Amino acid sequence: MTKLKGNVIVGQSGGPTAVINSSLVGVYKTAKDLGAPKVYGMLNGIRGLLEERYVDLSNHIQSDLDIELLKRTPSSFLGSCRYKLSEPAVGNPEFERIFDILKRLGVEYFFYIGGNDSMDTIKKLSDYGEMMGSSIRFMGVPKTIDNDLDVTDHTPGYGSAAKYIASITKEIIRDGLVYGTESVTIIEIMGRNAGWLAGAASLAEGEDCEGPDLIFLPEVAFDMEHFVEKIKELQKVKKSIVIAISEGIHLADGRYVAELGADLGKADAFGHKTLTGAATYLAREIGKRLDCKSRAIEFSTLQRCASHIVSRVDITEAFQVGGAAVKAAMEGETGQMIILKRVSEDPYICITDTYDVHKIANVEKKVPREWINESGDFVTEEFRHYVRPLIQAELTPIMVDGLPRHLTLRDKAYKRYEEK
Amino acid sequence: MTKLKGNVIVGQSGGPTAVINSSLVGVYKTAKDLGAPKVYGMLNGIRGLLEERYVDLSNHIQSDLDIELLKRTPSSFLGSCRYKLSEPAVGNPEFERIFDILKRLGVEYFFYIGGNDSMDTIKKLSDYGEMMGSSIRFMGVPKTIDNDLDVTDHTPGYGSAAKYIASITKEIIRDGLVYGTESVTIIEIMGRNAGWLAGAASLAEGEDCEGPDLIFLPEVAFDMEHFVEKIKELQKVKKSIVIAISEGIHLADGRYVAELGADLGKADAFGHKTLTGAATYLAREIGKRLDCKSRAIEFSTLQRCASHIVSRVDITEAFQVGGAAVKAAMEGETGQMIILKRVSEDPYICITDTYDVHKIANVEKKVPREWINESGDFVTEEFRHYVRPLIQAELTPIMVDGLPRHLTLRDKAYKRYEEK
């Protein structure tokens, strides 16, 4: 059997997902199975590596039970970062430092689990490596709840977020019916420029639920008058109205709806603005304009960390892309990201493949316009057909004393604050 | 075997819980087992009954599978209301109307599943019944996520809400650690006057989680300076700080913290103000005063409808109190509420009993001061010892096509809005 010819290092970057640690396990287990002497984990991604903060993962994943726990652990096990590398060039001290550390650790294989911005890191590192004639292979492992990575059929993390969103949307719709009174509920779902997550709320519709009434995605310019008119129409036929919106919906002139009512947050390291408050603003406007009860519910952080309800398909694929990255690197590939290819619709079958990270990094995949209805306020059946396989089946949490158990880094002292 | 001597009617009132339908099943199944010819369900509680809106439950619960689905269905299956009956008196037309409808339906047993306000309804109906020499028995079945009903050890609904709160608090705490950067997260938990729910966030603490850093309950006056100082102290020793607050925390002068920053909602039928925004206000203040990243997360409606993660202990007890109410009514009791009595701590064992609803209605049970630490910013081990048994074990959702399946009233046409 072919074996890995050196040590491995793996990092996690960007916003976490409920299954990002399943990819970490995929890298770790496959690397160990393929004979990696050491598998290091960068703490807080490339930023931590630059500070020489890393662990030997074997000290932290000590048993098969640890592996099962880690798959079910939300938030990046190794910590994350939002760090943009400078441009690679001979003599760039940032790159010299990274390659020096990797050399000292005997690392031949470098894996980075992340989204768009993280693929930019892989691209730059592999470019620099090529420039310097380094033998180290750099592979990207896709993850993001946003599903906005190009080329890949979908990204691990999206299916679980979609399952969570659809599940709680069902619960919220039922809750809204309880008093039989008129109300408008606006749920705000993550998604800055792409509406994949908000669209997933449509899956709530089924034999036991009528689903949300309207869905607004950032792919279509938001029109306040259309919004109000639609609600007025709905109010003629039903009492409890539930509307899903992406946090990033914006007007035709480009202004975010969130900007209309609230202060904007600071931009992050990649220049993305923090958006929040679109639903609150719209709920207030509807309350005023239509003189009815309205409320906003922000799904918030739990969209990316609700490990207590994940998709089995998603968690399995998250593991697979991690493992596939190790295999591909062993076979000599570098500067590639693992992608998922849907080779069959019915039954749903996805396989992994590799794709040049240069063509993926910094490209955002949006919901195709033809998967949104003409009036721009719902997704089509094609959209749902695409998402439905990704939310199938479950991975039961391992419950201890009534709560889901997680795995944590063993050297972290989880001591309570003395004064508490 | 003794049999029920007439028809049964059951209603649900007040805010729903994740297990309120398990109590409905408890009433229904026990009544059928004890020979009830008909079991009616009021639609939207006593308000619907006054409008003669009710169903024959056998038309809607048609199989054992339906029973299992109903146990797992969030939000009140029969709909709910917040309706305050007038004072019972001979000749009061409201009471005459209700008793007239009950007579026509051949109802001898009346069950009302609800909280504090709903017990007021049972009290008044049984008072009027006694006044008029009616044979109808009126029994209260406790439910409320707030756990603020007197006498009973706890209320069905609380355990599942506590389990949900503790589970997602764990996930949010982990999520907050991901970047290794300084941040203050303030989570807002339901609870107007009693801190039972916010206190449950403390259960997040365990071998794999340090738990929230501070918890503020409405039982202790909130002091802004103390709050800021505590956070400053914490920032000296850790980066990601997570604080749980009850929505109803208020200053020593009685003003709600939510009032300080935001507009107050309208009062409901029972005169309770709708509170929201305390966490948003505090996050903003902390951001300003300590110049650090801060955010608010409102746990919102899901606290009462997250059926996808419920406590098995809770769902079982919810069923038991429903069944016990039927048995007690059959044995001639009226004007009583079923209570839970903890007869053993270790192992945890609760039994049911009955208690005069006159002594329960409109009394709010708060967290004892001695279960809150001296500085008023955390709960004691006694509190946690009390709650922990209530969140144990699970009832797995029945998943269909990747989502939890619910039971709905069969005559409700779940048709999609045509224009959508």
Side-chain angles (χ1 to χ4, degrees):
Chain A
M1 198 175 80
T2 327
K3 286 226 164 198
L4 291 168
K5 293 182 182 66
N7 291 334
V8 164
I9 196 162
V10 53
Q12 298 174 305
S13 166
T17 78
V19 305
I20 191 169
N21 295 323
S22 188
S23 288
L24 178 63
V25 171
V27 169
Y28 174 76
K29 197 169 176 314
T30 309
K32 290 310 271 185
D33 288 351
L34 293 176
K38 291 269 187 197
V39 180
Y40 293 106
M42 310 170 214
L43 297 175
N44 296 112
I46 195 75
R47 202 190 72 211
L49 185 64
L50 276 161
E51 296 161 0
E52 290 191 62
R53 292 191 293 113
Y54 53 82
V55 293
D56 180 339
L57 272 172
S58 298
N59 294 336
H60 299 273
I61 306 172
Q62 297 178 346
S63 65
D64 289 345
L65 177 59
D66 280 356
I67 284 181
E68 287 307 316
L69 287 170
L70 187 49
K71 281 186 192 168
R72 291 157 171 88
T73 296
S75 187
S76 313
F77 182 68
L78 295 169
S80 186
C81 68
R82 293 198 182 277
Y83 185 88
K84 205 176 172 73
L85 281 178
S86 51
E87 288 303 317
V90 181
N92 180 330
E94 192 170 50
F95 286 84
E96 283 181 349
R97 178 156 179 74
I98 292 168
F99 277 73
D100 179 52
I101 294 166
L102 295 178
K103 194 177 168 191
R104 269 190 282 134
L105 290 176
V107 165
E108 287 294 325
Y109 308 93
F110 182 109
F111 302 97
Y112 213 43
I113 307 167
N116 242 311
D117 299 329
S118 312
M119 293 311 133
D120 180 73
T121 301
I122 285 294
K123 176 170 77 84
K124 287 170 175 168
L125 288 171
S126 62
D127 285 354
Y128 182 84
E130 206 190 315
M131 227 179 271
M132 306 304 290
S134 164
S135 61
I136 304 175
R137 287 121 198 216
F138 296 91
M139 292 293 295
V141 180
K143 83 70 229 179
T144 168
I145 61 165
D146 292 322
N147 199 39
D148 60 355
L149 277 176
D150 204 17
V151 187
T152 185
D153 179 77
H154 59 278
T155 49
Y158 174 60
S160 292
K163 186 187 187 87
Y164 173 74
I165 287 166
S167 296
I168 67 169
T169 298
K170 277 189 79 166
E171 292 174 338
I172 283 170
I173 289 171
R174 281 201 65 79
D175 187 82
L177 297 168
V178 74
Y179 295 120
T181 49
E182 280 204 342
S183 69
V184 177
T185 301
I186 301 176
I187 55 188
E188 183 172 318
I189 297 174
M190 283 180 174
R192 208 175 263 122
N193 302 314
W196 296 107
L197 289 170
S202 67
L203 297 176
E205 189 197 342
E207 290 168 1
D208 59 344
C209 180
E210 55 186 347
D213 297 293
L214 300 166
I215 303 180
F216 294 93
L217 314 183
E219 281 81 357
V220 178
F222 183 81
D223 178 337
M224 193 68 182
E225 298 315 314
H226 171 74
F227 178 72
V228 174
E229 281 312 309
K230 272 287 188 176
I231 294 174
K232 271 197 209 165
E233 271 176 51
L234 282 162
Q235 283 180 330
K236 288 178 197 158
V237 294
K238 61 185 307 202
K239 288 182 170 172
S240 176
I241 294 164
V242 176
I243 298 166
I245 62 161
S246 288
E247 60 178 338
I249 52 168
H250 49 261
L251 308 181
D253 65 13
R255 272 180 305 155
Y256 285 109
V257 171
E259 284 182 86
L260 304 178
D263 299 331
L264 258 183
K266 290 173 193 162
D268 68 14
F270 287 88
H272 309 311
K273 283 172 178 173
T274 313
L275 297 177
T276 181
T280 305
Y281 171 74
L282 291 176
R284 224 183 292 150
E285 280 298 300
I286 286 301
K288 267 194 289 182
R289 295 204 195 191
L290 303 179
D291 190 29
C292 65
K293 211 183 128 193
S294 61
R295 61 173 178 171
I297 299 179
E298 266 182 50
F299 281 2
S300 181
T301 302
L302 283 161
Q303 290 163 86
R304 68 183 199 192
C305 66
S307 289
H308 69 274
I309 179 166
V310 292
S311 150
R312 180 88 191 203
V313 166
D314 190 27
I315 214 143
T316 302
E317 291 178 344
F319 185 95
Q320 287 168 342
V321 294
V326 176
K327 274 212 168 154
M330 186 181 71
E331 287 159 6
E333 299 207 48
T334 187
Q336 308 279 313
M337 184 184 87
I338 300 298
I339 59 165
L340 288 164
K341 272 172 89 166
R342 198 181 296 215
V343 291
S344 164
E345 282 288 348
D346 194 7
Y348 166 82
I349 303 174
C350 254
I351 58 166
T352 59
D353 203 348
T354 56
Y355 203 90
D356 185 352
V357 78
H358 294 77
K359 297 177 184 156
I360 295 175
N362 307 316
V363 181
E364 268 183 320
K365 184 176 73 180
K366 298 190 178 186
V367 178
R369 184 61 185 85
E370 62 271 24
W371 285 7
I372 305 170
N373 72 358
E374 216 184 302
S375 48
D377 51 27
F378 214 77
V379 290
T380 65
E381 183 49 38
E382 285 85 350
F383 180 96
R384 282 179 280 176
H385 185 75
Y386 162 80
V387 184
R388 209 169 276 124
L390 314 183
I391 69 163
Q392 297 300 313
E394 293 73 49
L395 187 73
T396 317
I398 295 173
M399 305 296 282
V400 176
D401 210 7
L403 298 177
R405 174 54 61 107
H406 305 143
L407 189 74
T408 56
L409 286 172
R410 289 183 196 274
D411 52 347
K412 247 189 192 157
Y414 274 101
K415 285 203 198 110
R416 293 185 57 70
Y417 177 59
E418 294 302 306
E419 293 302 296
K420 192 156 85 176
Chain B
M1 197 177 79
T2 326
K3 287 226 163 198
L4 291 168
K5 293 181 179 66
N7 292 333
V8 164
I9 196 163
V10 54
Q12 297 173 305
S13 167
T17 77
V19 305
I20 191 170
N21 295 323
S22 188
S23 288
L24 179 63
V25 171
V27 170
Y28 174 75
K29 195 167 180 312
T30 310
K32 290 310 270 183
D33 288 351
L34 293 176
K38 292 268 187 199
V39 181
Y40 293 106
M42 310 170 215
L43 297 175
N44 296 111
I46 195 75
R47 201 189 74 210
L49 185 65
L50 277 161
E51 297 161 359
E52 290 191 61
R53 293 192 292 114
Y54 53 83
V55 293
D56 180 341
L57 272 173
S58 297
N59 294 334
H60 298 272
I61 306 172
Q62 298 178 346
S63 65
D64 289 344
L65 177 59
D66 280 357
I67 284 180
E68 287 306 316
L69 287 170
L70 188 48
K71 279 187 194 169
R72 292 158 170 87
T73 296
S75 187
S76 313
F77 182 68
L78 296 168
S80 187
C81 68
R82 292 196 182 278
Y83 185 88
K84 203 176 172 74
L85 282 177
S86 51
E87 288 304 316
V90 181
N92 179 330
E94 191 170 51
F95 287 84
E96 283 179 349
R97 180 156 178 73
I98 291 168
F99 277 73
D100 180 50
I101 294 166
L102 295 178
K103 195 177 167 190
R104 270 190 281 135
L105 291 176
V107 164
E108 287 294 326
Y109 308 92
F110 182 109
F111 302 96
Y112 213 43
I113 307 166
N116 242 310
D117 299 329
S118 313
M119 294 309 134
D120 179 74
T121 301
I122 284 294
K123 176 171 77 86
K124 288 170 173 168
L125 288 172
S126 63
D127 285 354
Y128 182 84
E130 205 189 315
M131 226 178 272
M132 307 304 290
S134 165
S135 61
I136 303 174
R137 287 122 200 215
F138 296 91
M139 293 293 294
V141 180
K143 83 72 227 177
T144 169
I145 61 165
D146 292 322
N147 200 38
D148 60 355
L149 278 175
D150 205 16
V151 187
T152 186
D153 178 78
H154 60 279
T155 50
Y158 174 60
S160 292
K163 186 187 187 88
Y164 173 74
I165 287 165
S167 296
I168 65 170
T169 298
K170 276 188 80 166
E171 292 174 338
I172 284 170
I173 289 170
R174 280 201 66 80
D175 186 82
L177 297 170
V178 74
Y179 296 121
T181 50
E182 279 205 343
S183 70
V184 177
T185 301
I186 301 175
I187 56 188
E188 183 171 317
I189 296 174
M190 283 181 175
R192 208 176 265 120
N193 303 313
W196 296 106
L197 289 170
S202 67
L203 297 176
E205 189 197 343
E207 291 168 0
D208 59 345
C209 180
E210 55 187 347
D213 297 295
L214 300 167
I215 303 180
F216 294 92
L217 315 182
E219 280 81 357
V220 178
F222 182 81
D223 179 337
M224 193 67 181
E225 299 315 314
H226 171 74
F227 178 72
V228 174
E229 281 311 308
K230 272 287 189 177
I231 293 174
K232 270 197 212 166
E233 270 176 52
L234 281 162
Q235 283 180 329
K236 288 177 199 159
V237 293
K238 60 186 305 203
K239 288 184 170 171
S240 176
I241 295 165
V242 176
I243 298 166
I245 62 160
S246 288
E247 59 178 339
I249 51 168
H250 49 262
L251 308 181
D253 64 14
R255 273 181 304 157
Y256 286 109
V257 171
E259 282 182 88
L260 304 179
D263 298 331
L264 256 184
K266 289 172 192 162
D268 69 14
F270 286 88
H272 308 312
K273 284 173 179 173
T274 314
L275 299 177
T276 181
T280 305
Y281 170 74
L282 291 177
R284 223 182 294 151
E285 281 299 300
I286 287 301
K288 267 194 291 185
R289 295 203 195 190
L290 302 180
D291 190 30
C292 64
K293 212 182 129 193
S294 61
R295 62 174 179 172
I297 299 179
E298 267 183 49
F299 280 2
S300 182
T301 303
L302 283 161
Q303 290 162 88
R304 67 183 198 191
C305 66
S307 289
H308 69 273
I309 179 165
V310 292
S311 149
R312 179 89 191 204
V313 166
D314 190 27
I315 214 143
T316 302
E317 290 178 344
F319 184 95
Q320 287 168 342
V321 293
V326 176
K327 274 213 168 152
M330 187 181 70
E331 286 160 8
E333 299 207 48
T334 186
Q336 308 280 312
M337 185 185 87
I338 301 298
I339 58 164
L340 289 163
K341 273 172 87 164
R342 198 180 296 214
V343 292
S344 165
E345 283 288 350
D346 194 7
Y348 167 82
I349 303 174
C350 252
I351 58 165
T352 60
D353 203 349
T354 56
Y355 204 89
D356 185 354
V357 79
H358 294 78
K359 296 177 185 157
I360 295 175
N362 308 315
V363 181
E364 269 182 322
K365 184 177 71 179
K366 299 190 177 183
V367 177
R369 183 60 185 86
E370 61 271 24
W371 285 6
I372 304 169
N373 70 359
E374 217 184 302
S375 47
D377 51 27
F378 214 76
V379 291
T380 64
E381 182 50 37
E382 287 84 351
F383 180 96
R384 283 179 280 174
H385 185 75
Y386 162 81
V387 185
R388 210 170 274 124
L390 313 182
I391 68 162
Q392 297 300 313
E394 294 73 50
L395 188 72
T396 318
I398 295 173
M399 304 297 281
V400 176
D401 210 7
L403 298 176
R405 172 55 61 107
H406 305 143
L407 189 73
T408 56
L409 286 171
R410 290 184 194 274
D411 53 347
K412 249 192 192 152
Y414 274 101
K415 285 200 198 111
R416 293 183 57 72
Y417 177 59
E418 294 301 306
E419 293 302 296
K420 189 155 86 177

